[in-house]
Amino acid sequence: LWGQETHRSSIDRYKWYAQELAMSGLVGRDDYVKRGAYTFRSGYDHTIELLGLAEPPTAIVAASDEIAAGALAAAANKSVSVPRDLSVVCARNTPLGFDTWPDLTSYDLGTEALCARATRLLISELEDKASKPHMIRIDLAFHERGSSAPAPKI
């Protein structure tokens, strides 16, 4: 479940998702990919749509905790058990992920580390006008919680 296509983060997160599928040898289905907004309502509405398919997904990857929270609510509305019948994983790892039931499995995108590093670089740039641009790598952290489980046997 995407956020807005006008946001660079949506495009980047979708590329990451597609790469991970390919590296795992899995084939994605176009009817499972939903573009929306970074909102609870978008996650809810798209999950209701996905759960209505003849072959609903067994997992949802949401671009944010807000979208994932909406997906959890939709699953509850349709009496779909998370994580037994449907896993929900998201990107962000905000405090909202601990306010849902079950707690959200998520990737921490390293926002705090990135901001701290960018601040140090900015200060360094201000102090040393001759510094050169360089790339920063921030590793992701995966937090497995209650919203994910192995895929159900079909």
Side-chain angles (χ1 to χ4, degrees):
L1 303 179
W2 279 46
Q4 292 92 317
E5 280 188 86
T6 55
H7 288 217
R8 169 85 189 260
S9 60
S10 293
I11 296 165
D12 289 343
R13 291 174 194 175
Y14 179 76
K15 286 179 184 176
W16 164 77
Y17 159 80
Q19 284 175 331
E20 291 297 317
L21 275 181
M23 287 175 22
S24 299
L26 299 172
V27 178
R29 287 181 40 175
D30 290 341
D31 58 337
Y32 285 177
V33 177
K34 302 295 175 190
R35 292 171 175 85
Y38 282 114
T39 64
F40 178 96
R41 174 54 66 187
S42 180
Y44 181 90
D45 290 344
H46 286 305
T47 301
I48 292 290
E49 185 180 337
L50 288 169
L51 295 175
L53 294 173
E55 292 181 42
T58 58
I60 288 178
V61 177
S64 73
D65 292 18
E66 293 80 5
I67 295 170
L72 290 177
N77 180 288
K78 292 294 187 180
S79 299
V80 173
S81 175
V82 174
R84 186 188 68 217
D85 302 319
L86 177 70
S87 287
V88 178
V89 177
C90 61
R92 287 284 310 279
N93 196 42
T94 68
L96 174 62
F98 296 100
D99 293 335
T100 61
W101 183 255
D103 289 352
L104 287 170
T105 294
S106 65
Y107 278 93
D108 186 328
L109 301 178
T111 305
E112 289 181 21
L114 180 63
C115 289
R117 186 74 189 271
T119 300
R120 287 193 302 273
L121 285 172
L122 179 60
I123 291 168
S124 175
E125 179 72 22
L126 293 171
E127 292 172 349
D128 178 13
K129 304 289 186 205
S131 67
K132 296 185 178 173
H134 55 281
M135 184 178 290
I136 301 171
R137 180 180 172 89
I138 303 292
D139 292 326
L140 301 178
F142 182 68
H143 302 282
E144 189 169 359
R145 300 191 183 100
S147 68
S148 62
K153 297 203 186 314
I154 299 175

